[in-house]
Amino acid sequence: MLEMMTGLRVLDPNRPPSQQNLVDWARPSLTDIKKLKGIMDLQLEQHYPSQGVIKAGELIRKCLDVNPNHRPSMEKVVASLEEINAIRMKPKRLKINNGNLMSLHHEQRYGDHRRENCHRSPLHAKQRVGV
C-alpha cells in the first residue's frame, strides 16, 4: 500500500541512503497530513481525497507496528480499505471556463494539465519508455 501511495519501491539502492528503505523513510510522515501529501506519488496529480490519505496513512502505520500483536487483523484491514474507498473527493473550488462552471478537480482531471514525466518510480519510467 505504501508503494502504491508513493510510487516508490520498498527497497531501492538508487535513492539517497536515508531513503533506500521506503518503510523507514516514510514512517515519520504517516501521522502528519502535510508530510504524507509530500510523499504521495506525483502521478496521482492530487486526485485523491485528503481524508482518504489520512485514513490510509493511519492504516499503513498500524500495519507496520513493530509489535505484531498491535497490527490489525486482515478483517480490520479490509474494513478500513472499504471505508477509505467510500470516501469521495470534494471539488476544491469552482472555476469559470468558457462561460461554464466546473470544479478545479474536473479541469485537472480532464484538461490538458497532465504531466508525463512526474512519476518518481524508476521501474515505471523504464516501462514508459519501453526498456
Side-chain angles (χ1 to χ4, degrees):
M1 201 165 146
L2 190 55
E3 285 181 291
M4 289 188 294
M5 286 179 63
T6 62
L8 300 171
R9 291 181 287 181
V10 172
L11 296 173
D12 187 349
N14 297 320
R15 291 195 305 256
S18 65
Q19 297 178 14
Q20 288 180 356
N21 183 314
L22 179 60
V23 173
D24 292 342
W25 173 70
R27 185 174 276 147
S29 301
L30 296 175
T31 56
D32 181 328
I33 184 61
K34 287 183 182 180
K35 289 181 182 178
L36 190 54
K37 284 185 172 185
I39 66 170
M40 294 293 290
D41 186 352
L42 295 175
Q43 190 73 26
L44 296 173
E45 297 181 345
Q46 297 183 357
H47 293 298
Y48 48 81
S50 295
Q51 197 61 31
V53 172
I54 293 167
K55 296 270 187 201
E58 290 172 1
L59 177 59
I60 292 168
R61 185 184 51 75
K62 289 176 185 175
C63 290
L64 295 175
D65 196 301
V66 293
N67 184 341
N69 295 328
H70 294 160
R71 295 180 195 151
S73 66
M74 285 309 297
E75 184 178 327
K76 288 183 180 179
V77 169
V78 169
S80 293
L81 290 173
E82 288 173 345
E83 197 177 294
I84 292 166
N85 188 49
I87 298 170
R88 298 290 172 232
M89 185 142 174
K90 297 176 187 168
K92 293 184 180 176
R93 68 172 190 242
L94 293 178
K95 178 179 180 173
I96 297 179
N97 188 8
N98 296 329
N100 297 321
L101 282 176
M102 66 174 58
S103 70
L104 179 59
H105 169 72
H106 182 274
E107 179 167 327
Q108 287 174 337
R109 185 172 189 134
Y110 301 107
D112 293 327
H113 302 290
R114 297 176 187 212
R115 293 174 283 175
E116 292 297 319
N117 296 316
C118 62
H119 199 279
R120 297 179 290 186
S121 170
L123 179 62
H124 189 274
K126 288 178 186 174
Q127 290 172 344
R128 190 172 49 244
V129 293
V131 174

